[in-house]
Amino acid sequence: LFNIVFQGLSATQLFGYWQNPQLWKAFAYSLTMAPTAGILSVLFGFFLLLLSRQLQWLYRPKLAHLILTGGMMILAIPTIVLVVSVCNALAGLPFVIKILNTPMNQSMQYYEKLCLSLNITGWQRFCLIEYPLLKAPLKYALALATTLSLGDFTAIALFGSPDFTSLPHLLYQQIGQYRSQEAAVTALILLGLCLVLFMFIEGQKEQHD
């Protein structure tokens, strides 16, 4: 640590580098992203523990432990996978909001007074009231967001590397290198995977209906 301070202060181009606009742009980005990530991390952890605590109270310790284990398993997932997943999730967020907005508002209008009168709250309310009404739009939103993420190119183009790629990114590389036959196979696999995922999730919805 002392060496870092010494080398930084003794740099011959110290004054000129302090005037570098890229330094202050990077500084601004870091100062914006770090507190945002910290706040989101605390919020995610708080709500995760809130859910786990409620499940423990309802005598469901296995499910509570599974949720906490899932939160800790993030350590085993490469950071770049998390970054791309979050970017794709945010890209699909407007569509999810559009699908769920009306049924969630209708659920509130129809059953809010009933839930208040019977003191039905939290996880119990979700299982008894919300989920039966939102099951179909939730599964449709999941199917749409999943297929959109599967075909998304933006995030992987920004963060991808030779060791970390996706089908759309690989397809782009094959087309750019005039490997048309390989690109045709990749495009077919991508199309088939999107179709199978969407049909599977929608099929699960129809079976439960």
Side-chain angles (χ1 to χ4, degrees):
L1 295 177
F2 174 78
N3 184 62
I4 292 175
V5 175
F6 177 77
Q7 294 292 336
L9 293 177
S10 62
T12 56
Q13 299 179 347
L14 178 63
F15 181 75
Y17 186 64
W18 277 89
Q19 295 178 324
N20 187 352
Q22 291 183 342
L23 171 65
W24 297 110
K25 183 182 292 185
F27 175 81
Y29 284 149
S30 297
L31 198 59
T32 302
M33 291 185 293
T36 303
I39 293 172
L40 289 176
S41 182
V42 171
L43 287 175
F44 292 157
F46 174 79
F47 286 114
L48 194 68
L49 290 171
L50 196 64
L51 176 59
S52 177
R53 183 183 69 178
Q54 186 69 21
L55 290 173
Q56 290 280 6
W57 179 259
L58 296 174
Y59 301 101
R60 297 183 181 179
K62 293 184 178 180
L63 184 56
H65 180 70
L66 181 63
I67 290 175
L68 289 182
T69 303
M72 298 299 294
M73 283 297 293
I74 293 177
L75 293 174
I77 302 176
T79 304
I80 189 65
V81 176
L82 292 177
V83 171
V84 174
S85 298
V86 171
C87 290
N88 288 339
L90 293 177
L93 185 60
F95 302 98
V96 173
I97 293 175
K98 184 68 175 178
I99 295 171
L100 297 180
N101 183 42
T102 299
M104 290 190 71
N105 286 332
Q106 290 177 346
S107 175
M108 174 70 73
Q109 293 174 0
Y110 296 157
Y111 296 103
E112 178 66 14
K113 293 182 180 179
L114 176 64
C115 291
L116 290 176
S117 63
L118 298 178
N119 196 27
I120 302 176
T121 59
W123 181 253
Q124 185 182 22
R125 171 171 176 165
F126 177 78
C127 293
L128 296 177
I129 304 298
E130 302 288 352
Y131 183 69
L133 297 173
L134 299 177
K135 181 170 59 177
L138 277 173
K139 291 184 177 181
Y140 177 67
L142 175 62
L144 183 60
T146 302
T147 51
L148 284 174
S149 177
L150 187 63
D152 184 71
F153 178 75
T154 306
I156 195 65
L158 293 174
F159 302 107
S161 65
D163 298 326
F164 178 70
T165 186
S166 67
L167 288 174
H169 192 233
L170 178 62
L171 178 61
Y172 174 80
Q173 291 176 332
Q174 291 171 339
I175 293 175
Q177 297 171 1
Y178 300 101
R179 294 151 54 190
S180 57
Q181 293 183 349
E182 296 180 15
V185 176
T186 303
L188 178 62
I189 294 174
L190 179 60
L191 176 63
L193 188 55
C194 289
L195 184 62
V196 167
L197 277 173
F198 199 93
M199 290 179 64
F200 174 76
I201 299 175
E202 283 287 284
Q204 291 296 109
K205 181 190 73 173
E206 293 177 359
Q207 289 179 8
H208 290 290
D209 292 344

